[in-house]
Structure formats: structure tokens, C-alpha cells
Amino acid sequence: MKKVKLLALILVVLSSLALILTGCGGGGGGGGGTGPTPGPGPTPPGPTPQATSVNISGSATGLSSLVGSSLKAQQPQGSPLANATVEIIVKDEKYNKEIKTTVLTNQQGLFTASISGLKEDSYGYVVITVIKQGFADFSKRIDFEKPADINISAILDAVSTSIATRDDAIFEASTGKRVIKFGLFKTAKGQVVKVGREVELRKQHGEKPTLEVMIPADTIPSDVKTLIARLNTYDPSIPKDADRFPGQFVDSDGNKLVSVGFDFINITDDTGSNLGALVAQAIKAGKLKKSQGASTTITRQIPPGVCKNLLRDVACEETDTKGRCKDGKVKEKNDPNDGFQVPVYTYNPRNGEWVLLGIGTLDVNGDGVFNENDTNLIGDLNNDGKVDHKDYQKYCKDQGDLGKYLYLIIEITNEDFLANWWNLDYPLIFEEPKELCLEATFKDDSGNPIEGVYASLYDDDYDPQSFSNVWGSTGSDGKVTLKTVKTVSDAEDNTDRSATLYYWDPINYQSVTETVTLGESPNCTKKTNTIQKPQLCQVEGYLKDDQGNPLGNQYVYIYS
């Protein structure tokens, strides 16, 4: 048993810790810039922009399960993730330059990277992705108007994992084919993935999976004998889950999005090679032909808390050869006989944007197929003389109150498993969307601006959800402007401006939440937060073994 007298040793380590915490500065602004615009007439050339560099740093923490329902639960409760891979992509949009680097976290889960090659007038965005085996990826995009340091807190959730072999394939009556099926079920202790017959047995006993993936066996390359599924589901009506949303709530065309649900789906062989990549390679080598009518199917439960996010019934304007929306374009559709349809996106970690893949159809009665029985259940529930998205919103909520859920059936191609994140979403269809905003300034108790404060806004009233989450990081002036678009019309909700501001305190190393009232652009609410520096204290001590002999070269740390 080691005995410690706190007298003299830890003072040096405490000073080092203070340097770590204050040295992880950063910033990046809250929105993409467009650069300075010269005035009328000839403009004399200004000074040549100087080269500059920034530091991107932060911490990675792993949580063993999805617990809690508040961002307050985000204060690190898990373990620091050592040797996690941190992929950083900086896009300098002014000079059309991309800078990439990869670093590993240390034993305390900390990382830092110096990014050079920017100029002082550069603007663009940074995508930070943290990857660790056994956890869902963390990925955020932060736009910047000028180069500045960035400091983030990355919290990764443990994934549920299961392994299937070809012997686990079962016959699926709805397709007439043998399929490998994975089902993610919620339990009292968290989430668990079941395979094949186990999925069907649970369903026969009344358990419905939150997420089900069904892969036709004849679309899997013959030399792939084992599939490993790593899955996690997220409910965007829960603020903690919503903050895990990768990238930003925006698609590749710049449309603002509102989420119905999102998932981490990673399916590989036993060597870790992605299923989509294996399928693409097999087709290219002539070892596999795409079977007609043999699409992989994903069935996703719609949480009752997001029923208000069923905004529009939509359809593709055009489809490509894979049946996906061409050029990411959708149109409104008002034919109830075709069922209610929801856009489905996949995440691009290179630019932090969501790419529209295709359309999913609501399985209203939850029997695993869409047919006329589903459309017959929906009527004019709002008594306004028509059947539209408001009727589906009401039906969705009423069924959730009864413990019955709606499901979305999505047909995809195996190549689409190249992406790990899937999102059920809507591009906002308003002629003139209103923008709500907050300009936050962070200073220390001496009045100095604090760079690199990672901050986000989320709606603290999710019925209805009035706006999507948004995040950013302070620049060298200690300011960040967080802008978000209203997701409901004024007729539905014209008064809700209340939001929760969440930020990571890089000095005291803790998360903070508070309620704020947003303004409407260009009259953003202005708010200043002062972060108190911790008072220095002296702790001294000796470290000895159980025989009383001094122990040298030992790692010692202190925390509050």
C-alpha cells in the first residue's frame, strides 16, 4: 500500500496542468466568411497577407453507455480515450487550399495539432473527427472568418456490436430472399445488437428494434464470411443526443436541416474493411453482379419526441441509376396514397456536410412493410379539410403516447455503407426562413478575451422544436456568433426565443449550460460571460512504497 504525504511534490505537476489548460486556446468564429469587399472605384493594393498558423487542440472522453437526458450529463464521466485518432481537415476557401493532418490523443485523452499554410485573411471551415475502436465517431464542422485557435471537448459513445456469419442468414418473406439481419434493441441497461433468428424471436414477443438492417446475402462478396455491425441510435429530441449530431445541420446544397433521427452504422468484415468498399471492389473485379430487387433495407423507429419534425411529404425530382435522389433535389408531394416520405442523408466527413441519398417511406402500423393498410390509418385528424404533415405529426405523437411507434423503411445500396453516419432529415421548405442568433463574448476575470471556447445552442423546448442546434468556437476577440434558422412557421410558433447555451470552459475544464433569449438577425442578442481563473494553491508531498522507500519518476496528477 503506497502512502502519500501531501507536502512538496505535486506543485510542479499542478503548474504543468495549468499550462495545459491555458495553452489549449482557440477560436474559429461561428459562420463562414466571404472576405472583405472593396468599395467603389480603384482600390490601391494593400499589404500582402502574412502567413499564419493555428493550434487545434482538445480532449476525447469515452462514455460506456448513452445515459442522461441533459447536456449537463456531458461533463466527462467516462474515461479519457488514449490513442484515439484525430483527423483534422482545414479548408481555406479563399485560397482554395485543403490542409489535412492526423494526430493521436495521449494517455490523458488530450491532443494538439499545429496547422500551418494559412494566411491572416483566410476563411473557411475546419472538420474535426475523432475515431476510436468500440465507439461511435465524433465529428464537428466549425466555420471561421479568420484563422484562430480551436479547442474542443469530444465525447464518444460506446457502440453496440454483434457478429454474423453466412450461417446466420434467414429467409425473408417480404423479399423472397435470404438475408443477414441486425437489430438494435433498447434494454434497461442500454442498447444491444441481435442477429438473424434472435431478431425475429424478439419481434414475435412484442419487442420492436429501434434500428434494423437487412442485407440480402447474394449482395455480399463470396469471400466475405463474417460481418461485424457496430451500431448506435440517437434521438434528436433529447438535447444530449442532439449535441452528438455530426458536422452541422446543413446539406451539401447549403439548405438548413431539421433532424428526425440519426444513427452510427458501421458494418465491416472481420479485417475491419467496410462492407460498401468490399462490394464496390467485387463489382469492379467482376466477382459480384448487382441483383435486381435486392436492396439493403434499413428500418428506423421514429421517436415520439420528434413527431413535430415530420415537416413535409416529399419526393425526388429525379433519381439516378441507383434510385437515389439526383443532385440532392426534392420536391413537395401531396398524394397520401403514396404514403408519407422522408429524405434520408449520409454524412460526408471531408466537409462536414450531409448528402441526400434518397427517400424513405413511413410504415405507419409498424408491420415491416408499406401498403394500403398504412395509408388507411391516417385521416383528417386536424379537421382542416385535408390530409397533410400535421395529421402525421398528430398520429405519430398519439401513437407514441400509447407506446406504439412509427417506422421509416429505407432502401439503399450496399455501396452506401461507405458512410458511417445516417440521418433522417428535412431541408427546410420556407420561402423566407427567419434566423435567430446570439453573439457571445467570453473573457477571463482580468477582462482578456478567451480564444477557443467551444459553444453551442439548442432548443430547450422540443414541443415543437423551434430551431436546430448550432455550434462554433470563439476567435481571438473572444466572440462567437451562433446563428440558427427557425424550423417552424410563425403561424405554428412565433414566440419561442428561449434557448440553452452550452459551452466548454477551457480554463476550469468543465461544461456549462445556461438559458438565453435569442434575437432575430440582424439584431442578435449580445451576451458576455466571464470565466473565473482558478486560484493557485500549493500542494506538497512525498511518494513512498509500503516499506517507506521514496518512489521517483512516478506520474502524479491532481484534479478538482
Side-chain angles (χ1 to χ4, degrees), residues 287-453:
K287 297 179 180 180
L288 183 69
K289 293 183 178 179
K290 182 181 290 296
S291 301
Q292 295 297 319
S295 298
T296 292
T297 302
I298 293 179
T299 303
R300 175 59 152 89
Q301 187 183 92
I302 304 298
V306 300
C307 291
K308 284 286 186 179
N309 291 357
L310 296 174
L311 297 178
R312 296 292 186 273
D313 185 12
V314 302
C316 296
E317 289 189 357
E318 293 183 78
T319 58
D320 60 17
T321 56
K322 296 180 180 179
R324 301 181 300 189
C325 286
K326 190 175 182 179
D327 301 325
K329 294 182 179 179
V330 298
K331 62 180 179 181
E332 289 193 59
K333 176 178 70 68
N334 295 298
D335 185 355
N337 295 321
D338 293 336
F340 193 88
Q341 298 186 327
V342 176
V344 180
Y345 291 76
T346 188
Y347 179 66
N348 182 350
R350 289 186 57 81
N351 55 21
E353 293 176 340
W354 290 88
V355 181
L356 183 63
L357 282 178
I359 302 294
T361 303
L362 279 185
D363 173 17
V364 177
N365 61 7
D367 63 356
V369 295
F370 169 76
N371 52 36
E372 62 182 10
N373 294 329
D374 295 290
T375 58
N376 292 338
L377 288 172
I378 304 296
D380 183 13
L381 301 180
N382 288 296
N383 299 315
D384 58 0
K386 59 183 178 180
V387 177
D388 58 13
H389 64 285
K390 293 184 179 180
D391 298 297
Y392 279 87
Q393 288 175 356
K394 178 172 173 48
Y395 185 86
C396 174
K397 184 178 184 304
D398 290 347
Q399 292 299 297
D401 291 343
L402 296 174
K404 302 177 182 178
Y405 298 149
L406 276 63
Y407 291 82
L408 191 71
I409 300 175
I410 311 158
E411 290 192 357
I412 63 171
T413 63
N414 281 356
E415 294 96 314
D416 295 332
F417 276 113
L418 287 168
N420 287 339
W421 285 95
W422 293 77
N423 185 35
L424 322 176
D425 223 318
Y426 281 93
L428 296 185
I429 309 173
F430 300 132
E431 292 183 2
E432 295 183 6
K434 288 189 175 181
E435 189 174 66
L436 308 180
C437 53
L438 171 75
E439 181 184 294
T441 302
F442 293 87
K443 298 181 178 180
D444 62 23
D445 45 12
S446 298
N448 301 311
I450 303 176
E451 296 183 66
V453 178

Side-chain angles (χ1 to χ4, degrees), residues 148-186:
D149 293 348
I150 294 175
N151 180 272
I152 67 168
S153 169
I155 299 178
L156 283 67
D157 296 303
V159 292
S160 301
T161 303
S162 192
I163 301 174
T165 68
R166 286 187 175 273
D167 292 338
D168 291 310
I170 60 175
F171 179 77
E172 176 63 31
S174 63
T175 65
K177 290 185 174 291
R178 290 179 61 80
V179 300
I180 290 180
K181 184 176 291 188
F182 295 100
L184 183 65
F185 295 85
K186 290 183 178 179

Side-chain angles (χ1 to χ4, degrees), residues 64 121 129 145 147 161 199 219 258 308 317 325 344 384 399 403 452 464 474 510:
S64 59
D121 62 342
T129 303
E145 296 178 356
T161 303
V199 176
T219 65
V258 56
K308 284 286 186 179
E317 289 189 357
C325 286
V344 180
D384 58 0
Q399 292 299 297
T474 58
Q510 62 184 2

Side-chain angles (χ1 to χ4, degrees), residues 22 53 124 132 136 171 188 191 202 213 231 262 272 304 306 312-313 324 388 410 419 423 452 479 484 487 511 553:
T22 58
S53 63
K132 179 71 174 179
F171 179 77
Q191 301 183 107
R202 286 198 171 219
V213 181
L231 309 175
F262 60 99
V306 300
R312 296 292 186 273
D313 185 12
R324 301 181 300 189
D388 58 13
I410 311 158
N423 185 35
K479 294 183 179 180
T484 181
T487 58
S511 59
N553 301 316

Side-chain angles (χ1 to χ4, degrees), residues 198-264:
E198 290 185 332
V199 176
E200 293 307 305
L201 286 173
R202 286 198 171 219
K203 290 167 66 174
Q204 290 171 15
H205 285 84
E207 293 185 68
K208 292 289 186 70
T210 305
L211 177 70
E212 183 177 282
V213 181
M214 187 170 65
I215 307 169
D218 59 5
T219 65
I220 302 171
S222 59
D223 55 350
V224 176
K225 307 301 182 184
T226 301
L227 288 181
I228 302 175
R230 299 174 176 90
L231 309 175
N232 229 335
T233 63
Y234 295 86
D235 180 349
S237 67
I238 299 175
K240 177 188 68 63
D241 278 13
D243 196 65
R244 303 289 203 266
F245 192 85
Q248 290 183 335
F249 286 90
V250 64
D251 69 8
S252 55
D253 291 329
N255 296 311
K256 296 288 186 179
L257 303 176
V258 56
S259 182
V260 177
F262 60 99
D263 309 297
F264 181 80

